[in-house]
Amino acid sequence: MLTFHTCDVFTANPFSGNPLAIVLGADDLTPTQMLTLAREFNLSETIFVQRPANPAHTARVRIFFPTAEIPFAGHPTIGCAIHLATAMAGTGDFDRQIVLEEEAGLVAVRVWRRGDVTRAEFIAPVVPHAVSGATIATSARMAAALGLAATDIGFGAHRPGLWQGGPRFLYAPIASPEALGTARPMEPAWSQVIRAAGVDSIYLYAKGEECDYRARMFSPTAGIPEDPATGSASAILAAQLLAAGALAEGETRLALRQGVEMGRPSEIGLTIVVRGGQLDQVRVAGSAVPVASGRIRVPNGMERDADRR
């Protein structure tokens, strides 16, 4: 049997934010077994914790959608780092560094607790950049894919974009929070747009009233009809904002809000550093709270030592 924990990420309140499953002692699991477990949990992402290749690091981790492995994701990084740091620190306030070996590269995460709130901030392992050789939908095609009018796509200098930083996302700027709230994937335009762009997901964002930007993220072909909080897409949003001229030289701090339409509001902190007109560093911050823990069988009937972590 394997030990697992679940937590809600990008929130300080249980049963909001983005749920995450953390599976410990996953060193001997095959990718097929991990995928089977991810499907069993049926959350947007499940993270598997293994011994690090370099003892100086905290852990090696593998991250899975219900449909496939992904090289990097934000809410598993935040949730797993908070879980590991809390387990090491015990009670009381603390401030420590966690280093996770992810498929996309090393991810440094600062974790700190003050009172009842534990937060973490990671540095994106890959600086977001453009995707070449793919087709970005026109505003009319994007609108058809999202069930909106063409006038609902874009605001100011913000236009649809395609960016990557480990994973890749198609970005759709939405003219108002009201239009953002009514958007939904619409076939056959949805499949045509994402196939042409070579992605599974479209990240929608609009100017917020109680935050800098409100967001939604749809990824039904990856087994995620809608995601309450998408840390990796939030990090890569930095490239979209820079292309729209929305970032000044130096450091910009933004508050993002996602998951509102799902009844799982999520609060994501985004810090972007621009030097010489180029992205230099992107950091994503958020909280996490534990929700459940338990034991789960190893797929294919292969039992494991219950004491291994």
Side-chain angles (χ1 to χ4, degrees), residues 169 171 203 229-238 256 258 268 270 282 284:
F169 295 90
Y171 287 83
Y203 181 95
T230 318
S232 55
S234 299
I236 300 168
L237 177 65
L256 312 180
Q258 189 178 334
I268 303 169
L270 178 62
V282 180
V284 173

Side-chain angles (χ1 to χ4, degrees), residues 27 32 52-53 84-85 88 103 109 112 121-123 126 129 159 175 182 202 216-217 231 250 269 275 283 294 296:
D27 299 275
T32 298
L84 295 176
M88 290 186 286
E103 294 299 292
V109 192
W112 66 97
E121 182 179 63
F122 68 80
I123 301 172
V126 179
H129 56 280
R159 298 292 179 267
T182 62
I202 300 182
R216 300 180 73 182
M217 201 285 286
R275 301 195 190 283
R283 305 194 302 273
I296 191 167

Side-chain angles (χ1 to χ4, degrees), residues 13-258:
N13 302 308
F15 311 112
S16 59
N18 200 351
L20 171 70
I22 304 167
V23 179
L24 304 179
D27 299 275
D28 298 333
L29 294 180
T30 67
T32 298
Q33 288 174 311
M34 294 182 202
L35 182 59
T36 298
L37 290 169
R39 288 173 176 163
E40 183 71 17
F41 285 113
N42 200 32
L43 300 175
S44 60
E45 284 142 358
T46 298
I47 189 166
F48 296 86
V49 182
Q50 302 176 329
R51 290 186 295 271
N54 183 338
H57 303 150
T58 309
R60 183 188 182 204
V61 295
R62 306 280 292 273
I63 303 170
F64 282 76
F65 284 154
T67 56
E69 184 173 11
I70 54 175
F72 166 74
H75 104 272
T77 297
I78 292 283
C80 184
I82 286 177
H83 174 82
L84 295 176
T86 300
M88 290 186 286
T91 60
D93 293 352
F94 66 85
D95 192 328
R96 67 170 58 229
Q97 188 86 353
I98 296 292
V99 179
L100 299 178
E101 299 171 356
E102 303 196 12
E103 294 299 292
L106 292 180
V107 183
V109 192
R110 178 193 168 209
V111 184
W112 66 97
R113 182 167 61 207
R114 301 291 183 269
D116 296 331
V117 178
T118 307
R119 290 181 60 80
E121 182 179 63
F122 68 80
I123 301 172
V126 179
V127 176
H129 56 280
V131 177
S132 60
T135 301
I136 302 174
T138 64
S139 293
R141 293 300 298 157
M142 185 73 79
L146 297 172
L148 300 174
T151 53
D152 290 326
I153 306 299
F155 59 90
H158 295 253
R159 298 292 179 267
L162 180 62
W163 308 94
Q164 65 183 11
R168 63 173 62 177
F169 295 90
L170 188 58
Y171 287 83
I174 307 298
S176 68
E178 293 74 23
L180 180 73
T182 62
R184 66 218 184 274
M186 296 291 289
E187 295 292 1
W190 172 272
S191 291
Q192 293 167 354
V193 165
I194 65 168
R195 190 179 303 118
V199 298
D200 288 319
S201 313
I202 300 182
Y203 181 95
L204 293 67
Y205 69 99
K207 291 291 291 182
E209 297 173 351
E210 74 290 358
C211 60
D212 293 294
Y213 294 100
R214 277 269 304 276
R216 300 180 73 182
M217 201 285 286
F218 300 114
S219 191
T221 55
I224 308 169
E226 182 170 358
D227 198 26
T230 318
S232 55
S234 299
I236 300 168
L237 177 65
Q240 172 77 7
L241 298 178
L242 183 66
L247 299 176
E249 187 76 7
E251 184 174 280
T252 299
R253 293 180 177 268
L254 300 171
L256 312 180
R257 190 168 169 84
Q258 189 178 334

Side-chain angles (χ1 to χ4, degrees), residues 1 3 25 295 304-309:
M1 301 286 282
T3 298
R295 311 281 282 169
R304 295 276 303 280
D305 181 351
D307 295 327
R308 290 187 66 179
R309 296 291 184 269

